[in-house]
Amino acid sequence: MSDYLPKEIIIEILLKLPVKSLIRFTVVCKSWRSIITNSEFIFSHLSNGASKEDNTLFLRRYMKDRAEHYTLLKDVENQTLGLQSSLELEFPFKSLIGYFRIVATAKGLVCLYDEFFASPTQSIILWNPCIRKHIVLPTPTIKSGTSDCVVLGFGATSCNIKVVRFVYSKTKDFTCKVPAEVEIYSLSSGTWQRVHFDDSYIIKEFMWSQAFIKDTVHWLAYDSVEDSRQSNGFYSFIASLHVDDEVFGKILLPDNLSRVCERYLSITVVGESLGVIKYDDSGSCVWVMKQYGVMKSWTKLYNIDFVGGIDNVVGFRKNGEVLLASPGDELVTYNPETALTKDIGIYGNARSFYIDKFMESLVLLTGQDVVADKQLLPAGSHTSRRQKHQRRSKTTRRAV
């Protein structure tokens, strides 16, 4: 076909195909492989919509043996979520502490952080599980000590893929020094670049999480305030970073949330809206910003009573159901309209559950092949001859 059709027509056809088909076509002929592995084609494929989110959820959990399990679940609106229509992913990495922190998923990539405090490397990985490719980010330029607080953010648009890193040094009384030192890694350049940052706020420590929406990474943060209404002298809000422009911003919370200590808040995405979950002794309540960037549009959707030992909110289905971690180390669905929960047969440590929307993509197609049980070191780290020999002796899997 390539002998009779212009290259432009071939590209237009290939852009409409799913990732699985394109991977197969890379071995058809050299000209097709050249097109499909070209970075311009990969990002065009992202923006073209062929790699759209197709009702897929990315699930992480670990069992009593501490083994990490990664699964893609089909989230069909009128069907019960479960493992019966799932795809188990081979997880080829080994963490120094037993399991990785998932920073976020975006554009078919999973950002993993091996948060081992005694290690100076603390590997950061970008992994595309569908094509079995990954890269280990180079060693950051900002050094961090074992007592310092490090916060990451990950975002991907149709133009840029970036990881941002905040480092808060600790004082003798273990409080964070402000402002933080900040650097951003860009996949296109393959390097970390320090950026100017002079805000005095502190992003939620230790149990930090993020929400990625509108091409922007969001975190919960707090700052001091001279306001008699704030008994603790601090107020909570949302800090943000636009991935393309690298512009930092703030989104204010309503009084019901801003006066709450950030430790009792969690940031998320509910449907297509930015959301915040407030926790208390009896349960939680879910808030959404119905119109992005408009403070007056913050709306409380519903309360969730944590009866029977329900632990925390894990995520949300497309049909509006909430995914909760139960005391029996099981993931259950919760219907906000009926307030009823339902077992779905997915088990794991209650604190290990992670769920987010997922899409297939070709990003990292020219990256490294995944190697099973690989002990990861950042690019540029010292590797002994013995380690190199051991790596060569392992079987490298194809990215198909």
Side-chain angles (χ1 to χ4, degrees):
M1 182 179 76
S2 57
D3 295 333
Y4 302 98
L5 290 176
K7 182 178 179 180
E8 293 76 13
I9 300 299
I10 294 175
I11 292 175
E12 287 300 315
I13 294 173
L14 293 176
L15 283 173
K16 299 181 185 301
L17 298 179
V19 168
K20 190 173 182 180
S21 298
L22 292 173
I23 293 298
R24 291 197 184 107
F25 290 166
T26 58
V27 297
V28 171
C29 62
K30 290 183 178 180
S31 62
W32 285 20
R33 179 176 180 82
S34 177
I35 291 172
I36 295 169
T37 58
N38 180 272
S39 60
E40 185 176 342
F41 176 87
I42 290 172
F43 280 96
S44 295
H45 190 257
L46 278 176
S47 58
N48 187 59
S51 294
K52 62 184 178 181
E53 293 173 347
D54 57 348
N55 302 326
T56 302
L57 293 176
F58 178 87
L59 166 68
R60 191 282 302 272
R61 60 201 167 105
Y62 58 79
M63 315 300 280
K64 291 182 179 179
D65 60 1
R66 304 285 290 182
E68 292 183 78
H69 296 269
Y70 290 79
T71 310
L72 295 182
L73 302 173
K74 285 297 180 183
D75 184 18
V76 182
E77 188 167 351
N78 295 320
Q79 294 183 14
T80 300
L81 191 70
L83 297 176
Q84 68 278 1
S85 57
S86 66
L87 173 65
E88 189 76 15
L89 299 171
E90 180 182 7
F91 187 66
F93 312 116
K94 187 176 181 179
S95 168
L96 292 172
I97 60 173
Y99 61 93
F100 287 85
R101 178 196 285 262
I102 299 177
V103 180
T105 65
K107 302 297 184 186
L109 297 182
V110 182
C111 183
L112 301 167
Y113 182 36
D114 197 8
E115 195 176 23
F116 185 58
F117 296 103
S119 170
T121 57
Q122 296 184 331
S123 297
I124 304 170
I125 308 159
L126 295 182
W127 172 45
N128 187 327
C130 291
I131 62 173
R132 299 180 185 176
K133 295 281 188 172
H134 81 279
I135 61 168
V136 183
L137 272 56
T139 303
T141 63
I142 300 173
K143 305 301 180 183
S144 60
T146 55
S147 63
D148 294 339
C149 178
V150 177
V151 176
L152 298 184
F154 170 61
T157 70
S158 297
C159 302
N160 293 291
I161 295 170
K162 296 178 181 178
V163 176
V164 60
R165 183 172 179 265
F166 296 79
V167 178
Y168 292 95
S169 299
K170 291 292 186 73
T171 63
K172 291 182 179 180
D173 60 355
F174 296 101
T175 59
C176 291
K177 293 181 181 179
V178 292
E181 293 184 272
V182 181
E183 59 187 333
I184 296 176
Y185 171 86
S186 172
L187 183 62
S188 60
S189 68
T191 60
W192 290 97
Q193 295 291 333
R194 295 195 183 207
V195 296
H196 176 70
F197 184 79
D198 57 9
D199 283 302
S200 61
Y201 63 73
I202 299 174
I203 295 176
K204 182 178 179 179
E205 303 169 67
F206 187 64
M207 294 303 293
W208 52 264
S209 61
Q210 71 160 68
F212 183 67
I213 190 173
K214 304 293 183 182
D215 293 341
T216 303
V217 184
H218 304 81
W219 306 264
L220 284 166
Y222 64 95
D223 203 346
S224 59
V225 60
E226 295 181 4
D227 189 337
S228 59
R229 296 176 301 173
Q230 304 293 121
S231 59
N232 58 5
F234 292 88
Y235 75 103
S236 299
F237 62 95
I238 294 173
S240 67
L241 172 68
H242 192 278
V243 171
D244 291 333
D245 301 334
E246 295 187 1
V247 174
F248 293 95
K250 294 181 181 179
I251 296 177
L252 298 180
L253 295 171
D255 287 346
N256 307 66
L257 300 177
S258 66
R259 300 179 188 180
V260 178
C261 177
E262 87 290 341
R263 286 178 294 178
Y264 302 107
L265 301 175
S266 177
I267 194 165
T268 187
V269 176
V270 183
E272 301 299 324
S273 300
L274 184 63
V276 170
I277 304 169
K278 174 187 172 185
Y279 291 92
D280 57 34
D281 293 336
S282 61
S284 65
C285 57
V286 179
W287 289 72
V288 297
M289 182 176 249
K290 290 191 172 182
Q291 188 175 349
Y292 183 77
V294 179
M295 182 182 172
K296 291 183 179 180
S297 70
W298 279 107
T299 304
K300 181 180 175 181
L301 291 184
Y302 46 78
N303 292 317
I304 303 175
D305 294 328
F306 285 172
V307 296
I310 291 295
D311 192 76
N312 66 296
V313 176
V314 179
F316 299 85
R317 291 193 61 189
K318 189 175 182 178
N319 63 6
E321 289 181 340
V322 188
L323 294 163
L324 306 174
S326 76
D329 287 342
E330 183 178 10
L331 197 65
V332 300
T333 58
Y334 172 85
N335 187 321
E337 295 181 0
T338 64
L340 296 177
T341 60
K342 182 178 181 180
D343 297 342
I344 55 176
I346 298 178
Y347 296 91
N349 183 288
R351 291 295 178 180
S352 73
F353 288 124
Y354 175 93
I355 282 186
D356 202 356
K357 294 179 183 177
F358 189 79
M359 62 184 293
E360 294 185 344
S361 81
L362 293 168
V363 179
L364 299 187
L365 186 56
T366 56
Q368 301 173 17
D369 288 316
V370 161
V371 180
D373 293 326
K374 185 172 182 180
Q375 188 67 52
L376 295 164
L377 293 172
S381 297
H382 174 73
T383 306
S384 68
R385 290 182 180 179
R386 182 179 179 182
Q387 288 174 316
K388 290 179 180 178
H389 175 74
Q390 288 174 339
R391 288 185 184 180
R392 283 196 296 267
S393 68
K394 293 178 180 179
T395 301
T396 302
R397 294 169 172 78
R398 286 188 175 183
V400 293

